[in-house]
Amino acid sequence: MKHYLDKNVYEATNERIKYIFDNFKNIYVSFSGGKDSGLLLNLVLDYKRKHNIKRKIGVFHQDFEAQYKQTTEFVTRMFENNLEDIVPYWVCLPMGSRCAVSNYQMYWYTWDPDEKDKWVREMPSMPYIINLDNNPFDFYKYKMVQEDLYADFGDWFSRQHEGDSICLLGIRADESLNRYRAYATDRKVLMDGKQWTSKMGEKWYNAYPLYDWTTKDVWVANGKFGFDYNKIYDLFYKAGLSIHQMRVASPYHEAAKESLNLYRVLEPDTWVKVVGRVQGANFGAMYGNTKLLGSRRITLPEGHTWRSYVKFLLATLPDEMRRNYIEKFKTSIKFWWRKGGAVSDEAIKELEACNYNIRLNGKSPYRGSSKDQVRFLGTPDDTDDIKSTIDIPSWKRMAVCILKNDHLCKYMGFAQTKKQAQRERELLNKYRNL
């Protein structure tokens, strides 16, 4: 395990868990059924029992319907075997989840009662399952976006209890840049100056007790302490995946589509239902890891520039999808033309050496940044000859967004704004009635 000067990550995490139990009356663990959240739940329960803590902790699980049987079995074991120590929140409500395997379906809806004949599996029948028949959430809106349901649950949970509440998440900083930012950002309010906490509401916090663990640490702990875990990881290993490639996620999500074909190999019975559940799933499994969907190195079709190829791709899309991309592309072009983005000195030297039509626009206004802002007088077709960064605009990056079904254009550096969130809700209302 990773070691500090005087302790390892296991010992450090137990100190964090002690702090949590000492300072919060109401605790719940966000449990997805993956390796990280599974380890976190095991560590919290282990600490609770070793220290004879009688009060129960909440366990929140968003069930996305389409998942490996092994995931369902693991989640079931963790709930059923620990009912004396937990308050279960196993949520099987219709939720809007992003769909990255189709240009014709921006969202698919878990546990959609209108699609019951296509459900990947039967709804769990335990008495504590939360569904449309017994929904206790005053914030729930039919087919609301899954991220909103997750966030609103934390506020709801805090309102049900006296005193401060805290949500424990199995986020590790080395897993992705976004997860590192969740921990490292200086734009959040901390609890007692602890960087692994973040204030989310009037009386509730998020905490990341595993933030400094490596993937190897997770498996060392499971083996050393004999913790239960999702046995799909054993099948991943037998299929030849490294421990860093193994991921348990919705088969239609942008983070999982490249491994969608594993369903066909590991759980063929589940695969048959996954294919029929969402339009485009079979295509995504066949081509999710190829240039057709923006993975690997894509090449420009003969006779096209990247700009003309973008226009060709836009012309093939449904109206709503096309307008979504056009709005974001226009925003990007205007940003780089009028204001400019922060670029390193090395990148500026490369741009100037390659004769890009750029203008410097002063230092970046963001705190702690010493980079110059660079405006582009015209969007480059591609920037393949710039090696020091990919964070500059090009028509090629736009094409990749379309090929990846990247509706938010994260590949171009977009984050969702309030206006875009409102637009998203409007699209959800439109598509849920189709």
Side-chain angles (χ1 to χ4, degrees), residues 60-87:
F60 174 70
H61 174 66
Q62 279 182 291
D63 190 323
F64 292 105
E65 180 205 322
Q67 62 187 24
Y68 291 108
K69 291 179 182 177
Q70 296 279 4
T71 299
T72 303
E73 291 171 5
F74 174 51
V75 173
T76 301
R77 291 196 305 272
M78 291 301 291
F79 273 78
E80 289 291 292
N81 294 340
N82 297 291
L83 286 175
E84 292 184 357
D85 291 288
I86 70 171
V87 178

Side-chain angles (χ1 to χ4, degrees), residues 156-384:
W156 177 87
F157 182 86
S158 69
R159 289 189 280 110
Q160 308 308 305
H161 303 89
E162 294 289 335
D164 288 341
S165 299
I166 193 165
C167 168
L168 311 187
L169 299 99
I171 289 179
R172 293 182 299 106
D174 80 340
E175 191 172 19
S176 71
L177 181 59
N178 283 336
R179 296 196 170 195
Y180 171 77
R181 285 171 178 164
Y183 158 74
T185 179
D186 60 359
R187 299 181 181 180
K188 62 182 183 179
V189 178
L190 309 177
M191 177 75 169
D192 291 341
K194 298 186 181 299
Q195 189 64 39
W196 50 274
T197 65
S198 179
K199 187 171 185 178
M200 305 302 294
E202 182 179 352
K203 59 174 186 170
W204 66 286
Y205 287 77
N206 278 350
Y208 319 105
L210 301 182
Y211 77 89
D212 48 359
W213 287 57
T214 66
T215 304
K216 182 179 179 181
D217 288 336
V218 173
W219 291 114
V220 168
N222 281 332
K224 183 177 180 66
F225 303 114
F227 290 148
D228 192 6
Y229 63 92
N230 187 339
K231 298 305 189 285
I232 194 63
Y233 289 99
D234 293 343
L235 297 182
F236 285 156
Y237 178 77
K238 292 177 181 179
L241 275 68
S242 75
I243 59 174
H244 304 289
Q245 293 173 313
M246 301 174 183
R247 185 178 180 89
V248 174
S250 165
Y252 317 118
H253 190 269
E254 59 196 18
K257 68 178 182 179
E258 291 184 11
S259 59
L260 181 59
N261 197 45
L262 283 171
Y263 275 80
R264 186 203 303 268
V265 177
L266 302 181
E267 287 189 4
D269 292 342
T270 305
W271 162 252
V272 172
K273 296 180 179 180
V274 165
V275 170
R277 184 66 175 89
V278 169
Q279 182 181 3
N282 191 43
F283 182 85
M286 294 172 63
Y287 302 110
N289 199 33
T290 72
K291 65 180 66 177
L292 281 176
L293 288 180
S295 295
R296 301 185 180 178
R297 186 174 180 85
I298 64 171
T299 55
L300 185 64
E302 186 176 352
H304 276 288
T305 63
W306 285 109
R307 180 174 182 174
S308 67
Y309 189 39
V310 166
K311 292 182 177 181
F312 166 78
L313 292 172
L314 288 171
T316 68
L317 300 177
D319 289 343
E320 290 289 351
M321 301 293 187
R322 181 166 56 252
R323 285 195 289 268
N324 172 70
Y325 284 118
I326 289 174
E327 180 179 349
K328 294 191 182 308
F329 295 165
K330 285 183 176 179
T331 299
S332 175
I333 291 170
K334 289 179 181 178
F335 170 81
W336 285 98
W337 174 275
R338 296 176 179 175
K339 182 178 179 181
V343 176
S344 68
D345 292 341
E346 183 180 359
I348 291 174
K349 290 178 181 178
E350 282 192 274
L351 290 167
E352 291 174 339
C354 295
N355 295 317
Y356 283 84
N357 196 2
I358 63 172
R359 298 289 187 274
L360 298 184
N361 196 30
K363 294 293 183 182
S364 170
Y366 293 107
R367 182 172 53 184
S369 176
S370 61
K371 294 180 179 179
D372 286 307
Q373 292 186 126
V374 174
R375 293 191 299 127
F376 278 79
L377 307 184
T379 302
D381 209 49
D382 68 66
T383 55
D384 292 345

